[in-house]
Amino acid sequence: MKLKQLAAMAVTATLAAGVASAELVIPDLSYRTGPYAAGGTPFSDGYQDYFNMLNARDGGIGGEPIRILECETGYNTEKGVECYEATKGEGALIYQPLSTGITYQLIPKATADGIPLHTMGYGRTSAANGEVFNWVFNYPANYWDAASVMVNYLLEENGGDLSDKKIALIYHNSAYGKEPIRTLEELSAMHGFELTQLAVDHPGQEQKSQWLQIRRERPDYVLMWGWGVMNQVAVQEAANIGFPMENFIGNWWAGAEHDVTPAGAAANGYKSLNMNRIDANLPVFDEIRTLVHEAGNAAGDGSNMGSVLYTRGMYAAMLAAEAIAKAQEIHGVSDVTAAMVRDGMEALEITDARMEELGMARVGPAFSVNCQNHGGSGLGIVQQWDASAGNWVALTDYIAPDMSVIQPLVAEDSAAFAAEAGIEPGCL
């Protein structure tokens, strides 16, 4: 069966179960199957549950009910594009592709169609330059921010000096995994550490040769840009060679519960970044539990609530909802268009006070968006896995990236894209 037919069938099934009178259409390009399902499922659960909670509590956003269109991509770029094409005509207001590969393919399409993309903490990093990427937003942080936050954390741990250190990057051999390389190379030249790069092919189950190389070369630290089964395998392989877990740091897509639990006690001490704090006792979870789960409208079975990626999906939905509300405010109408939502995304301001009002205090940092900056604050925390307690412990407050490194890279890459695509940079 053709991919387009599969995508259409998935959307049709969702529409049949949806609210027929809904006006605010939000697609969910999910992946609940395949080697990346362990990450895609909780994110999608959190994303949908938050919107369903708004429908139950507030009648949607600004009085307009929300209609969710779920379309399964399997984390496959071609299927992701098919899902986009199958759903955009329904009046889609915003897309969260949840895949760097899909994002790269959708940037020109969504720009031409006038539909905003929110690639939260992933996708094309230089899309932080809103004057070139008018329709793409990657707030609150991007991959190059993450690489710099990692190095800034290691600088703090080593008295500000990494000149005698060896750092290995083990990464998913894809557009996603390759994103931080340029930044780490710049930071290596700046701070004098030796950088080794080790690619892992999709889906990431075969890593023995990479970890044998790590055992031979004995780097001081290993950084990981992994996703799906790759993360679980890497943590187990690190344990197999006796690499100290406290010196193994994943990015924020390599720091969920399912990444570490398969290794049991051997995963204790593993670290990762996180763009969102986790707190299972947040008031917003009580509302979701009462208004969505107990009402039988949960996107999943409820077991993921409060986890790292469920929280992140919920956080992403909140940011989309706040942008839609801002668009309604700016344009003075409740039934907003995709172009209006883009305006709301560009005028978005998230404060600590607003986060508390929403029942998710301190989940994410305060930040604002404008025409020049679609990337937010760039902040990230470092967390560590406590295997005996079975939870993540935040080791730091939010750490800022080195913008003296990040900004020139964003400017250079976005300028090259603009020249190639024939884009005249500027605000809409």
Side-chain angles (χ1 to χ4, degrees), residues 227-304:
W227 187 228
V229 69
M230 173 182 166
N231 298 337
Q232 301 173 9
V233 173
V235 171
Q236 186 61 64
E237 292 290 354
N240 291 346
I241 69 166
F243 189 83
M245 284 295 170
E246 64 272 16
N247 293 344
F248 186 14
I249 309 174
N251 73 349
W252 43 55
W253 300 110
E257 293 81 3
H258 62 268
D259 296 326
V260 287
T261 50
N268 188 60
Y270 170 74
K271 297 175 182 176
S272 80
L273 297 189
N274 204 336
M275 71 177 80
N276 58 277
R277 291 183 179 276
I278 49 175
D279 179 356
N281 298 312
L282 290 171
V284 69
F285 289 138
D286 291 333
E287 290 190 289
I288 291 173
R289 189 175 293 108
T290 300
L291 297 174
V292 179
H293 289 210
E294 292 178 6
N297 294 323
D301 62 8
S303 62
N304 291 311

Side-chain angles (χ1 to χ4, degrees), residues 410-421:
V410 168
E412 176 187 337
D413 190 76
S414 59
F417 179 86
E420 180 182 336

Side-chain angles (χ1 to χ4, degrees), residues 118-141:
H118 183 201
T119 65
M120 186 177 78
Y122 63 91
R124 185 171 188 136
T125 296
S126 61
N129 182 353
E131 291 191 272
V132 173
F133 297 91
N134 298 139
W135 294 87
V136 189
F137 300 79
N138 52 17
Y139 54 72

Side-chain angles (χ1 to χ4, degrees), residues 55-74:
N55 275 338
R57 188 190 68 190
D58 305 329
I61 304 169
E64 297 286 350
I66 302 158
R67 179 156 56 103
I68 301 166
L69 304 181
E70 180 171 359
C71 189
E72 171 70 32
T73 73

Side-chain angles (χ1 to χ4, degrees), residues 72 102 126 149 192 220 247 428:
E72 171 70 32
I102 296 173
S126 61
V149 167
D220 297 284
N247 293 344
L428 291 186

